[in-house]
Amino acid sequence: MNKADSERMAGILERMGYKQAEEELQADLVLYNTCTIRDNAEQKVYSYLGRQALRKKLFPQLKLIVAGCVAQQEGESLLRRVPELDLVMGPQHANRLETLLNKVETGQQVLATEELYIIEDLTTARRDSSICAWVNVIYGCNERCTYCVVPSVRGKEQSRTPPAIKREIENLANTGFKEVTLLGQNIDAYGRDLPGTTPQGRKKNTLTDLLYYIHDIEGIERIRFATSHPRYFTSRLIEACAELPKVCEHFHIPFQSGDDEILNQMRRGYKIKTYKKIIGRIRELMPNASITADVIVAFPGETNEQFQRSLSLVEEIGFDQLNTAAYSPRPNTPAALWPNQIPEEIKIERLRKLNSLVEIKAKERNVRYKDRVEEVLAENTNPKDKQQLMGRTRTNRLTFFPKVDNQGNSYKPGDLVKVRVKDIRAFSLSGVIEN
């Protein structure tokens, strides 16, 4: 979500006539797009700002901006802490960057953190890739997980309309993009704030309906989506993914804890039995599907037995990859105020054990690719070996392969290439082009 926001804001700046500076400390406008999901990300912001504040004393015309979730969370207190800032703007204001900068030009110090309806103008993004694109389909989150700061910084759910999403994807296809990833903080909630029901009484604009609606856009070869919530991940959605050829067999479904009592305290709204049922149905219909997830260790009050249940779930399911984190208290969340916080040394030890298991299971999962032919969408040249391309399988495995096959045919970014996998690692593959 933050990467997509950054691309949109970069596009607005380019439209205004700005060019990207080679060095951060040479730029005459610096914008930090921030994350507050964990404390260490937030602390980095203040470190960067300290350097820029010193610069501004010598270079008063420097424009200094903090955007994103830290801006939304801290608001006016951020201006008090770093008075050199010109603009503090929450994520809902990303599309208003030009308007807000015009206010700065008049000499104002601007704070934009009020909740508002997101303006529908996403066609100006400066994409980091010319092959794969992020497409926001729903903003915000209405869940109230006890550890999570997202709803308070990204606001209420706001779904874009299907025609607006389709227009954006058609424009991407017309400019050569081959893959889109539909984005939402809770993407399975897409459409529940849009009007309309079917004759059968279900919501008319669900994520499943959206996948069918955009599937046949000419030029788009692959469709992905993230991030899912087990509470809303339906059998109908799984069946649609199995049925629609362009939808990739990769599912990112956070489970957060392997213990039902911890899930209840997190206010996640499902049990591990439900989670296992979802994974079972995916693997029944798509046996080679890749499953990735998020998990938190050392949530307040987590016992060693409860932590072991998370390890057991990782062992049992065999995830292709996991985003792991030790619990980090966040402002304005219930769990941050609970007295049963876990000591730092236990957090570190549990995270170490989990990461060790994750790497083992990831490599075990990768064994299935050995000597198999996989369809890889070439995305770029390997920066460490200019004779290689790098891209991802449909299951989202990073794969390296030569630019030229054994018959002398050359390949380039944007090509769909059949690659026979020869080498496997925990988090990537290498292979040769299969003629």
Side-chain angles (χ1 to χ4, degrees):
M1 294 293 287
N2 278 28
K3 285 181 180 179
D5 290 348
S6 292
E7 289 183 350
R8 282 155 51 208
M9 289 188 286
I12 291 169
L13 290 170
E14 286 191 350
R15 191 180 68 201
M16 293 176 69
Y18 285 93
K19 292 180 182 174
Q20 187 166 358
E22 300 255 336
E23 296 286 340
E24 179 187 340
L25 294 175
Q26 293 172 0
D28 54 16
L29 181 148
V30 179
L31 187 156
Y32 294 111
N33 189 24
T34 61
C35 175
T36 183
I37 205 155
R38 297 193 196 119
D39 184 60
N40 61 347
E42 185 180 330
Q43 294 313 312
K44 282 182 186 176
V45 179
Y46 291 109
S47 172
Y48 293 142
L49 283 175
R51 294 201 299 268
Q52 295 296 348
L54 288 172
R55 270 188 76 212
K56 189 151 185 173
K57 287 181 170 63
L58 303 171
F59 183 52
Q61 60 268 49
L62 168 67
K63 292 185 182 69
L64 198 50
I65 305 163
V66 175
C69 295
V70 172
Q72 185 70 34
Q73 175 185 288
E74 299 301 313
E76 198 169 339
S77 68
L78 189 54
L79 289 176
R80 287 196 298 270
R81 184 167 173 177
V82 188
E84 293 83 3
L85 282 166
D86 296 287
L87 170 60
V88 171
M89 53 184 281
Q92 291 187 346
H93 294 261
N95 289 350
R96 298 184 61 230
L97 178 57
E98 183 172 4
T99 302
L100 297 171
L101 272 176
N102 287 338
K103 287 186 179 180
V104 170
E105 292 286 359
T106 67
Q108 298 181 58
Q109 189 183 47
V110 180
L111 175 66
T113 53
E114 69 277 13
E115 193 163 332
L116 85 165
Y117 190 81
I118 294 168
I119 301 161
E120 181 63 75
D121 173 22
L122 302 178
T123 58
T124 57
R126 187 198 70 196
R127 308 278 179 178
D128 288 341
S129 167
S130 59
I131 311 297
C132 306
W134 312 106
V135 176
N136 285 298
V137 301
I138 179 172
Y139 299 95
C141 183
N142 288 0
E143 301 304 301
R144 280 289 179 261
C145 300
T146 54
Y147 57 85
C148 186
V149 73
V150 167
S152 65
V153 292
R154 283 198 171 266
K156 294 174 186 169
E157 289 169 2
Q158 295 182 37
S159 299
R160 297 176 64 197
T161 65
I165 295 165
K166 191 171 189 177
R167 278 195 302 274
E168 184 179 355
I169 297 173
E170 286 171 339
N171 288 337
L172 290 166
N174 291 337
T175 51
F177 283 85
K178 296 290 169 62
E179 177 181 299
V180 293
T181 300
L182 310 181
L183 288 181
Q185 212 71 51
N186 176 10
I187 199 164
D188 308 304
Y190 173 78
R192 65 180 176 184
D193 58 323
L194 295 176
T197 54
T198 66
Q200 294 77 32
R202 67 170 179 78
K203 287 296 291 182
K204 194 174 186 177
N205 295 301
T206 65
L207 176 60
T208 307
D209 297 309
L210 182 65
L211 290 175
Y212 281 108
Y213 181 67
I214 66 165
H215 183 269
D216 295 332
I217 294 173
E218 193 173 341
I220 297 299
E221 303 283 351
R222 290 179 169 186
I223 299 167
R224 303 181 188 273
F225 59 89
T227 292
S228 292
H229 193 303
R231 190 173 177 180
Y232 306 103
F233 205 94
T234 65
S235 292
R236 183 169 173 259
L237 175 59
I238 298 169
E239 287 154 16
C241 293
E243 180 184 325
L244 295 170
K246 291 183 183 180
V247 177
C248 291
E249 300 82 4
H250 169 228
F251 301 92
H252 186 75
I253 315 173
F255 67 90
Q256 304 300 12
S257 172
D259 180 78
D260 283 342
E261 180 55 35
I262 293 291
L263 288 177
N264 184 49
Q265 290 168 15
M266 288 178 165
R267 213 180 292 159
R268 291 288 288 169
Y270 56 85
K271 293 188 175 182
I272 289 304
K273 181 181 176 182
T274 307
Y275 189 85
K276 288 181 183 179
K277 187 177 177 183
I278 291 167
I279 305 306
R281 183 61 174 153
I282 289 171
R283 287 182 168 162
E284 181 186 338
L285 296 182
M286 293 162 278
N288 291 317
S290 168
I291 310 292
T292 60
D294 301 341
V295 58
I296 297 168
V297 301
F299 185 75
E302 181 188 67
T303 64
N304 192 52
E305 290 74 20
Q306 289 170 324
F307 168 63
Q308 291 298 327
R309 289 189 190 105
S310 289
L311 292 180
S312 297
L313 187 67
V314 173
E315 184 76 50
E316 179 182 344
I317 288 181
F319 292 94
D320 291 75
Q321 198 159 340
L322 273 182
N323 295 331
T324 64
Y327 170 74
S328 176
R330 306 312 301 130
N332 307 313
T333 60
L337 303 176
W338 295 349
N340 53 351
Q341 304 293 321
I342 304 293
E344 211 56 39
E345 60 273 18
I346 295 178
K347 287 185 181 182
I348 292 166
E349 178 59 18
R350 287 182 183 175
L351 190 59
R352 186 194 63 75
K353 282 184 182 175
L354 176 62
N355 285 338
S356 176
L357 178 61
V358 166
E359 186 166 349
I360 291 166
K361 300 310 289 186
K363 192 159 187 179
E364 284 177 9
R365 286 289 291 162
N366 272 0
V367 169
R368 74 191 194 277
Y369 294 109
K370 182 77 172 174
D371 290 323
R372 211 163 76 184
V373 176
E374 291 289 318
E375 178 194 84
V376 178
L377 175 59
E379 296 178 26
N380 220 323
T381 298
N382 179 359
K384 294 181 180 177
D385 183 347
K386 301 300 182 186
Q387 304 309 308
Q388 284 188 333
L389 289 169
M390 55 192 286
R392 288 174 297 155
T393 65
R394 288 176 61 91
T395 53
N396 209 41
R397 265 293 176 248
L398 182 63
T399 306
F400 302 92
F401 58 96
K403 285 184 175 179
V404 181
D405 67 18
N406 57 15
Q407 296 178 3
N409 301 308
S410 295
Y411 297 84
K412 63 187 186 307
D415 289 342
L416 281 169
V417 186
K418 297 293 184 185
V419 175
R420 184 172 292 279
V421 176
K422 293 296 183 183
D423 297 308
I424 59 169
R425 293 169 292 277
F427 302 114
S428 66
L429 311 168
S430 296
V432 295
I433 297 167
E434 182 85 354
N435 294 113

